[in-house]
Amino acid sequence: MFIYIVFLAVCVLLIAALWRVFAKAGQPGWAAIIPIYNAYILIKIAGRPGWWLLLYLIPLVNVVIAVMVTIEVAKAFGKGVGFALGMIFLGFIFYPILGFGSAVYRAQPPPVA
């Protein structure tokens, strides 16, 4: 029973942190609780085109795209690749730091095709 309570607490913390990250980036915070839409919003925060969402459907490619999007999200908030690796491997620690910390979103121009 204790494991379930801890799991639920971590889930609530991650939802709240992602909500704050979205709000800092000028996106609707409620998008953090919509499964596919939140990936689309993260892609937009990363400054990548929306069609990248389709790349999440391709096995193994989705892992590479998720890493690339996470690195770009970290950069959009003025953080480096080390912080992005923390977001990938210890997301339950680094997403709250990003959401509740002093990081400020810096909009990136769209990439040149």
Side-chain angles (χ1 to χ4, degrees), residues 21 24-27 44-47 73 76-78 103-108:
V21 168
K24 281 184 175 185
Q27 300 294 332
K44 288 301 192 182
I45 291 172
V73 167
F77 282 92
V104 177
Y105 178 69
R106 298 177 181 108
Q108 300 174 347

Side-chain angles (χ1 to χ4, degrees), residues 18-19 22 27-39 41:
L18 200 56
W19 190 300
F22 285 5
Q27 300 294 332
W30 55 263
I33 59 176
I34 311 297
I36 296 170
Y37 187 58
N38 67 8
I41 295 298

Side-chain angles (χ1 to χ4, degrees), residues 29-88:
W30 55 263
I33 59 176
I34 311 297
I36 296 170
Y37 187 58
N38 67 8
Y40 176 76
I41 295 298
L42 278 174
I43 290 169
K44 288 301 192 182
I45 291 172
R48 299 294 171 210
W51 64 265
W52 274 34
L53 186 62
L54 296 174
L55 296 175
Y56 275 104
L57 301 175
I58 304 170
L60 298 178
V61 174
N62 59 0
V63 175
V64 174
I65 294 301
V67 169
M68 291 173 60
V69 167
T70 303
I71 291 171
E72 292 301 320
V73 167
K75 286 181 181 178
F77 282 92
K79 304 294 184 182
V81 175
F83 193 88
L85 290 174
M87 289 170 63
I88 292 167

